[in-house]
Amino acid sequence: MQALRGQANLVVSVFGRSLDAIYQWDQRVSVAYPEMHLHESVMQLRWAKRMGWMLDDAGRLTGEIVPALP
């Protein structure tokens, strides 16, 4: 769990198929909420798994599940 204090008090995680898709999402949010200001942006270009499902190089499910640790 993260705790945020001060002016930068919102964290948003977005999954997209391309950097352009993330950029377009960012632009739509900026137009819809002009009072918000971006403090920091971090992009991870490739995920090995998502919610226990292994992903291939294109980001699609492989059918393999990695169970959570007990």
Side-chain angles (χ1 to χ4, degrees):
M1 179 176 188
Q2 288 182 322
L4 301 172
R5 297 173 36 182
Q7 300 250 335
N9 57 7
L10 177 68
V11 172
V12 177
S13 293
V14 177
F15 293 89
R17 293 232 176 246
S18 68
L19 291 177
D20 188 52
I22 301 298
Y23 176 76
Q24 289 175 11
W25 180 88
D26 182 51
Q27 293 300 308
R28 287 193 306 268
V29 170
S30 297
V31 169
Y33 302 98
E35 66 278 5
M36 291 179 59
H37 300 283
L38 180 63
H39 176 71
E40 181 179 7
S41 179
V42 177
M43 293 186 192
Q44 183 169 343
L45 299 179
R46 184 178 184 287
W47 291 78
K49 67 177 187 166
R50 170 112 164 86
M51 299 180 69
W53 290 90
M54 294 300 295
L55 305 176
D56 65 13
D57 288 339
R60 295 181 298 248
L61 298 177
T62 63
E64 180 183 356
I65 300 173
V66 178
L69 296 175

